């Protein structure tokens, strides 16, 4: 693969989304520096396995540091001299934020502040950072659009992600750093995190154990397949915010800053999603129906109109296809 000249720093490179994003960048000829601290939040062996795959690419290098360790992070950043930064490192999970809130302040707030400061003092062509559909909180108007207010978060996780968007906007305004924050909608697929529903459901069904189905199954999600998400992120690297908005843009009037949804735009009932998994596994799930969990929302749906206008692309893989691909990967990866 011939280098395309792009030098991209990706935080959270050993994570689910980071791994796929790095893979896509490398496939397209970028030189990539991954930054990850290999947090023990879930099985580190999975992160190591992802990183081993990335390490097969000559244009990939790794800095095994925490973005909260500003000195070590700064040393890796300045030595690499990125022209683009994709900030994906974070403490994820709505439910975990109820039990372990402090970890969200460190990784999401302090870590993101370090990213912003480094971009301030080491200017880049484009800084992109991960947010979440959870910032829409108590909003009920569907589909969610980037121009809607996001002042009603229902979990600390959502609040920290909303805060990073506000922090980013202020830095973009003050120092002129072009920034795009993307809001992810229920991402799933091969190499996913073990704390995600699809992973937990698959493991339980294969073991003949019940799965917990919240809100008695009355949930709707905009499930977004990981390959579609990574493709969207990579395409957005070239959609650098400037002064001219497009139709329906979230572009700030005072900064080169915008937020962009990355979702499939095909809201799917949770029971249909489980049904796709049962079909792929050839087994029926034992379902333990439970009330809604704290911090959760009954439905999400993304408007992908802005993403499509900016990149000419939007996710489209149906859950029936994406779930089957996850099952194929899971059975291969965890075969006895």
């Amino acid at each position: 693969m011939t280098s395309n000249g792009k030098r991209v720093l990706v935080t959270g490179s050993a994570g689910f989304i980071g791994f796929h994003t790095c893979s896509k960048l490398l496939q397209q000829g970028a030189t990539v520096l991954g930054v990850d601290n290999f947090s023990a939040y879930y099985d580190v062996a999975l992160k190591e396995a992802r990183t081993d795959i990335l390490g097969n690419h000559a244009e990939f290098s790794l800095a095994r540091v925490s973005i909260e360790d500003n000195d070590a992070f700064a040393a890796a950043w300045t030595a690499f001299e990125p022209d683009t930064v994709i900030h994906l490192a974070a403490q994820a999970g709505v439910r975990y934020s109820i039990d372990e809130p402090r970890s969200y302040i460190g990784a999401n707030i302090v870590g993101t502040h370090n990213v912003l400061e480094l971009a301030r003092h080491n200017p880049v062509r484009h800084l992109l950072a991960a947010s979440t559909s959870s910032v829409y909180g108590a909003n009920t108007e569907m589909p969610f659009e980037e121009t809607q207010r996001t002042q009603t978060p229902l979990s600390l996780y959502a609040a920290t992600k909303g805060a990073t968007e506000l922090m980013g906007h202020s830095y973009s305004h003050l120092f002129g750093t072009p920034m795009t924050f993307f809001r992810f909608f229920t991402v799933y697929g091969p190499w996913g995190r073990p704390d995600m529903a699809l992973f937990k459901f698959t493991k339980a069904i294969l073991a003949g154990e019940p799965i917990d189905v919240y809100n008695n199954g009355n949930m709707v999600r905009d499930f977004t397949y990981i390959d579609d998400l990574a493709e969207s992120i990579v395409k957005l690297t070239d959609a650098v915010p400037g002064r001219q908005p497009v139709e329906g843009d979230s572009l700030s009037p005072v900064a080169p800053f915008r937020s962009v949804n990355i979702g499939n735009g095909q809201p799917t009932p949770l029971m249909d999603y489980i049904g796709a998994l049962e079909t792929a596994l050839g087994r029926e799930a034992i379902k333990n129906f439970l009330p809604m969990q704290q911090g959760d929302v009954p439905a999400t749906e993304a408007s992908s109109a802005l993403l499509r206008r900016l990149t000419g692309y939007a996710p489209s893989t149906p859950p029936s296809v994406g779930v089957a691909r996850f099952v194929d990967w899971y059975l291969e990866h965890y075969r006895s």
Side-chain angles (χ1 to χ4, degrees), residues 4-28:
N4 61 17
K6 293 182 179 179
R7 299 181 63 80
V8 188
L9 185 153
V10 180
T11 71
S13 60
F16 171 40
I17 295 171
F19 162 68
H20 283 277
T21 301
C22 288
S23 296
K24 190 77 66 175
L25 288 164
L26 292 163
Q27 288 166 16
Q28 296 186 8

Side-chain angles (χ1 to χ4, degrees), residues 188 225 276 317-326:
Y188 73 100
Y225 186 59
T317 301
S320 58
V321 173
V323 167
R325 290 176 183 167
F326 171 82

Side-chain angles (χ1 to χ4, degrees), residues 94-95 98 137 154-155 214 219 221 292-298:
V94 170
R95 291 159 192 163
I98 296 171
L154 300 181
S155 68
Y214 292 100
M219 308 270 276
R221 287 288 181 272
M292 177 78 85
Q293 280 212 325
Q294 276 187 305
D296 218 341
V297 297

Side-chain angles (χ1 to χ4, degrees), residues 238-267:
D238 290 326
V240 182
R243 295 183 178 180
Q244 295 300 319
V246 299
E247 182 183 350
D249 209 339
S250 60
L251 184 67
S252 168
V254 295
F257 176 99
R258 64 162 55 96
S259 55
V260 182
N261 290 337
I262 303 182
N264 206 40
Q266 302 177 44

Side-chain angles (χ1 to χ4, degrees), residues 32-63:
V32 178
L33 172 66
V35 176
D36 206 293
N37 69 345
F38 292 77
S39 158
Y41 169 60
Y42 64 83
D43 184 11
V44 175
L46 195 58
K47 301 180 182 184
E48 296 285 3
R50 296 176 184 135
T51 304
D52 287 345
I53 294 172
L54 295 176
N56 291 324
H57 293 265
E59 294 298 320
F60 178 79
S61 57
L62 173 70

Side-chain angles (χ1 to χ4, degrees), residues 7 9 11 33 35 63 65 67 70-87 111-112 114-124 126-127 177:
R7 299 181 63 80
L9 185 153
T11 71
L33 172 66
V35 176
V65 300
I67 61 171
N70 191 58
D71 290 344
F73 183 27
W77 180 307
T78 55
F80 181 66
E81 297 183 333
D83 56 65
T84 303
V85 172
I86 302 176
H87 174 40
T112 298
N114 289 341
V115 171
L116 296 173
E117 275 289 290
L118 283 167
R120 168 188 177 182
H121 295 291
N122 304 274
V124 294
H126 196 182
L127 170 59
T177 306

